[in-house]
Amino acid sequence: SNFDGILVDGQRRLSMKSSHRHLLTVGPTGAGKSSVIYLPNLLAPPPRTSFFVYDPKGELWGKSSGYLASIGYTVLCLNPADLGRSVQFNPLKRALVSEKETRRLAEILVSSTPGGMDKFWEDGARSLLFLLVRVLAYQEPAFRILPVLRQLINQLGNPAQIERLIRMTGDERLIDEWEGLASGVDPK
């Protein structure tokens, strides 16, 4: 049918095309947003769908996760307030697989910086992020996380410390890139 998208009132559905547009549900506490819109959609999802649910109170999770799992969905909970009950997500994990993925992450991080920069500074930021993430690839897995990357970025005021970490990797390509970056000469 043409109307196989989001359930809007417990009975009628939007078209799949309309369901993929932006949707905002607004109403005061107790107006029925969860019981009329959210839960019916979670408990009777359109075929072949995946979804992300923002559920700060955990009510929707409690009422739908078991059922969704029973019908074959992989149901995960990302809960920054309770990491013991949360799935773990490390954006560096994929970046550490290859230099290509590391460069891709550096590009994403630099390009998401608001306001934009001069190309010279953008290129330098990408190169530094690439180097620092690659340094993490040589560390124990517990240190391959964003807070450690931030600590390394904060250490940029102490280039001797960064150079020591880079040299400890024994990776000649990283050492060459660092020396080129530190001297202002492109090592390529």
Side-chain angles (χ1 to χ4, degrees), residues 99-100 102-103 106 123-132 134-135 162-163 166-167 169 171-188:
E99 287 190 10
K100 180 181 177 185
T102 305
R103 289 195 192 283
D123 290 347
R126 276 188 211 95
S127 295
L128 276 171
L129 280 171
F130 170 80
L131 281 169
L132 297 177
R134 292 311 303 164
V135 165
I162 299 295
E163 182 168 347
I166 291 171
R167 291 194 181 283
T169 68
D171 184 326
E172 289 301 321
R173 288 181 58 209
L174 277 184
I175 294 168
D176 287 347
E177 278 205 48
W178 169 255
E179 289 174 349
L181 200 61
S183 69
V185 176
D186 189 348
K188 295 170 190 154

Side-chain angles (χ1 to χ4, degrees), residues 1-178:
S1 108
N2 288 337
F3 296 96
D4 56 357
I6 293 174
L7 198 58
V8 290
D9 64 2
Q11 298 176 348
R12 293 178 294 166
R13 290 186 179 273
L14 296 175
S15 69
M16 191 58 81
K17 182 178 179 182
S18 292
S19 295
H20 286 257
R21 294 189 175 140
H22 297 285
L23 178 68
L24 175 66
T25 306
V26 179
T29 302
K33 297 177 299 295
S34 293
S35 62
V36 175
I37 302 291
Y38 304 139
L39 277 172
N41 279 289
L42 288 171
L43 298 175
R48 301 174 315 277
T49 56
S50 21
F51 34 88
F52 175 88
V53 178
Y54 177 68
D55 181 22
K57 294 182 194 170
E59 294 173 357
L60 298 173
W61 168 266
K63 292 178 180 177
S64 65
S65 61
Y67 172 72
L68 290 169
S70 77
I71 62 171
Y73 277 87
T74 300
V75 184
L76 305 172
C77 176
L78 178 62
N79 186 345
D82 185 356
L83 295 177
R85 294 184 48 216
S86 181
V87 295
Q88 305 296 307
F89 173 69
N90 182 357
L92 294 181
K93 187 173 184 177
R94 181 173 177 176
L96 295 170
V97 170
S98 69
E99 287 190 10
K100 180 181 177 185
E101 290 297 327
T102 305
R103 289 195 192 283
R104 186 168 169 230
L105 176 67
E107 175 63 36
I108 290 168
L109 292 174
V110 171
S111 67
S112 66
T113 303
M117 296 182 264
D118 180 273
K119 182 173 174 15
F120 172 82
W121 296 110
E122 283 185 5
D123 290 347
R126 276 188 211 95
S127 295
L128 276 171
L129 280 171
F130 170 80
L131 281 169
L132 297 177
V133 172
R134 292 311 303 164
V135 165
L136 292 180
Y138 290 92
Q139 307 306 311
E140 294 295 321
F143 296 102
R144 299 175 189 167
I145 55 176
L146 285 175
V148 174
L149 177 61
R150 183 175 181 199
Q151 287 176 344
L152 289 176
I153 291 168
N154 289 338
Q155 287 293 317
L156 288 172
N158 183 355
Q161 177 70 12
I162 299 295
E163 182 168 347
R164 185 180 69 75
L165 287 170
I166 291 171
R167 291 194 181 283
M168 284 175 54
T169 68
D171 184 326
E172 289 301 321
R173 288 181 58 209
L174 277 184
I175 294 168
D176 287 347
E177 278 205 48
W178 169 255

